[in-house]
């Protein structure tokens, strides 16, 4: 399945209903899975997607579905999410491409091994099967890898899925369950009456809704700013590539601080550099600089600043609009950044060096995605206090694909006023304004 762009055919084109119980902004994994769980509870739902379902992060990611290395507050949600992936695989005849192939973090030196092992006590507390592995065991688990890593940590129960296929497949299940899904339909703003959210204003017209969920990924800050709400969020570009069919080195996902690879359902690998996150500074970089300082420190080995072209446009973005005006969402239907040629060459070089069994295997395609992040690398799963009926499911910070179904089930419960089933304190929106210290979780 090719990388999605605004030239890709429109496949979800349901007619806009006049009214639904819940309207969802964004057809990524968060929006589509929330729609599915709501529909299963008998709630009527509309998903508006400005471009293509899963056109942005949800199709461009590495495809790791991992519990290992998560922020402690995310872990119980993620442990349930991986079971939801299993059910989704059954329901879609595994069009989501899910498999429990394991995940492994690989240490280049003893200091990294010690750093990885710090997480083991968290996994143990929740009964997860993560364990430390020695150099010899890494060699045994990775058939045909260079003898480069001194050890690592390994979780056999972790999984992988196919990002280009998964969310469209789930969207078809959601549609069959009664959800309306409309692509090429940007939401310009929300409708508010007597202080309560009462619908969405889209480029195709208004739709009444008792609740609205903003699952707009990298666009959430822009969407909220127009309403006078500040959500600290920044984006980084990461380049990804896939190889043609190749011998099996490892059935799951593995990576060091430099290089990450995942076995694919089609017999190839998805490759990425873990130390190459490119940030294109804009107005928000300055606005949120102080909040992101701890996060920047944590990923400074990987962060590359790219002031470069289009700086003026990034410094002076359209900040406000009326609901009858065209918006930034209509101007960029699919955020489709070009991959970095340097990164693609470097991926080829590192693959040959680290995985001699794959030396010479062709890279067949490359693409890039804009990863959105919050200052503490955990999402917001909350109702906005000043806008009753308006909910946020965003800020997944480079690891929202795996947890997506779990976070979506939380949102479906919140919207219906049901207990979410988890402690959501860490994911509250007010943490950005109530004076709480910024404590980053594990990085993107
Ligand atoms: C290169 C890369 C590698 C990654 N690797 C992994 C990984 O291995 N494992 C993992 O768990 N996570 C990974 N992630 C992160 C993961 O992909 C994201 O966290 C997750 O997909 C976020 O899902 P989402 O639904 O919140 O956002 P998105 O998938 O970005 O979807 C948001 C959607 O909202 C739409 N939208 C925005 N504004 C509007 C509007 N006003 N009206 C209508 N529609 C709108 C957008 O067009 C978009 O389609 C990676 C991300 C990238 C980019």
């Amino acid at each position: 399945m090719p990388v999605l762009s605004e030239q890709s055919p429109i496949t979800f084109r349901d007619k806009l209903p006049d009214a639904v119980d819940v309207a969802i902004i964004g057809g990524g994994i968060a929006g589509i899975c929330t729609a599915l769980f709501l529909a299963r509870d008998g709630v009527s739902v509309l998903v508006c997607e400005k471009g293509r379902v899963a056109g942005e992060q949800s199709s461009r990611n590495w495809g790791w579905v991992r519990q290992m290395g998560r922020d402690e507050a995310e872990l119980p949600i993620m442990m349930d999410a991986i079971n939801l992936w299993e059910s989704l695989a059954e329901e879609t005849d595994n069009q989501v491409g899910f498999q429990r192939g394991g995940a492994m973090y690989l240490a280049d030196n003893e200091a990294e091994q010690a750093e990885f092992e710090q997480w083991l006590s968290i996994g143990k507390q929740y009964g997860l099967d993560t364990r430390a592995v020695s150099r010899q065991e890494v060699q045994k688990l990775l058939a045909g890898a260079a003898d480069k890593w001194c050890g690592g940590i390994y979780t056999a129960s972790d999984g992988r899925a196919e990002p280009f296929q998964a969310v469209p497949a789930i969207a078809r299940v959601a549609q069959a369950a009664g959800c309306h899904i409309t692509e090429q339909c940007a939401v310009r703003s929300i409708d508010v009456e007597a202080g309560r959210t009462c619908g969405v204003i889209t480029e195709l017209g208004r739709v009444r809704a008792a609740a609205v969920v903003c699952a707009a990924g990298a666009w959430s800050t822009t969407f909220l700013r127009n309403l006078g709400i500040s959500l600290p969020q920044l984006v980084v570009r990461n380049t990804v590539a896939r190889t043609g069919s190749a011998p099996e080195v490892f059935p799951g996902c593995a990576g060091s601080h430099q290089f990450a690879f995942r076995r694919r359902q089609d017999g190839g690998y998805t490759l990425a550099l873990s130390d190459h996150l490119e940030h294109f500074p804009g107005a928000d970089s300055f606005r949120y600089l102080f909040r992101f300082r701890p996060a920047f420190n944590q990923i400074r080995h990987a962060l590359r600043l790219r002031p470069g072209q289009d700086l003026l446009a990034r410094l002076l973005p359209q900040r406000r609009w009326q609901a009858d005006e065209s918006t930034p969402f209509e101007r960029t239907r699919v955020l489709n950044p070009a991959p970095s040629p340097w990164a693609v060459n470097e991926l080829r070089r590192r693959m040959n060096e680290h995985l001699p069994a794959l030396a010479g295997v062709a890279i067949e395609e490359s693409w890039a995605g804009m990863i959105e992040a919050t200052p503490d690398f955990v999402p917001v799963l909350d109702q906005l206090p000043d806008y009753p009926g308006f909910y946020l499911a965003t800020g997944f910070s480079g690891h929202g694909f795996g947890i997506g179904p779990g976070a979506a089930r939380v949102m479906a419960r919140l919207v219906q006023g049901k207990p979410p089933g988890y402690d959501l304190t860490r994911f509250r929106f007010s943490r950005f304004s109530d004076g709480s210290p910024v404590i980053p979780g594990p990085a993107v």
Side-chain angles (χ1 to χ4, degrees), residues 46-228:
L46 164 69
V47 180
C48 296
E49 166 52 55
K50 69 178 169 63
R52 303 293 179 271
V53 162
E56 299 193 347
Q57 297 175 90
S58 292
S59 63
R60 292 160 189 271
N61 65 71
W62 301 355
W64 289 44
V65 178
R66 66 171 168 85
Q67 307 155 96
M68 185 171 75
R70 290 261 164 192
D71 187 277
E72 188 172 347
E74 283 186 358
L75 187 55
I77 304 177
M78 182 61 224
M79 290 175 75
D80 289 340
I82 204 161
N83 295 326
L84 292 171
W85 273 106
E86 213 145 51
S87 314
L88 289 166
E90 274 166 32
E91 286 170 59
T92 60
D93 207 11
N94 209 10
Q95 286 173 43
V96 297
F98 177 73
Q99 190 183 319
R100 285 195 198 252
M104 189 154 38
Y105 285 171
L106 298 160
D108 282 311
N109 51 51
E110 293 303 328
E112 283 181 12
Q113 179 69 19
E115 176 201 322
F116 290 149
E117 285 188 19
Q118 276 177 17
W119 193 83
L120 292 179
S121 60
I122 295 178
K124 193 168 170 202
Q125 211 180 308
Y126 290 85
L128 194 65
D129 56 336
T130 309
R131 61 187 175 83
V133 284
S134 64
R135 174 184 287 269
Q136 291 72 21
E137 212 171 342
V138 168
Q139 279 290 293
K140 242 198 265 167
L141 285 163
L142 296 185
D147 182 12
K148 182 184 167 0
W149 295 292
C150 71
I153 59 173
Y154 170 60
T155 306
S157 64
D158 269 341
R160 58 176 165 91
E162 291 304 331
F164 287 112
Q165 300 162 205
V167 178
I170 300 169
R172 288 189 288 274
V173 177
Q175 226 177 14
C179 296
H180 304 267
I181 304 177
T182 309
E183 292 179 331
Q184 198 87 351
C185 179
V187 177
R188 292 175 171 171
S189 194
I190 57 166
D191 238 349
V192 179
E193 222 172 64
R196 230 206 114 77
T197 311
C198 64
V200 285
I201 306 165
T202 81
E203 62 180 308
L204 303 178
R206 285 174 194 255
V207 179
R208 276 178 289 118
V212 176
V213 179
C214 176
W219 299 88
S220 296
T221 294
T222 307
F223 188 86
L224 294 171
R225 181 172 302 130
N226 189 47
L227 300 168

Side-chain angles (χ1 to χ4, degrees), residues 218-219 221-222 225 233-237 278-288 304-319 328 331-332 335 337-338 370:
W219 299 88
T221 294
T222 307
R225 181 172 302 130
Q233 181 192 43
L234 292 178
V235 297
V236 289
R237 178 175 77 165
E278 296 171 282
H279 179 59
F280 298 81
D284 283 347
S285 319
F286 296 100
R287 185 173 296 118
Y288 297 129
R304 311 274 183 275
L305 284 185
R306 302 275 186 254
Q309 60 190 31
D310 298 333
L311 179 63
L312 200 63
R314 292 197 306 274
L315 286 174
L316 300 169
Q318 184 184 0
R319 293 168 54 81
R331 280 193 290 283
T332 306
L335 192 52
M370 286 294 188

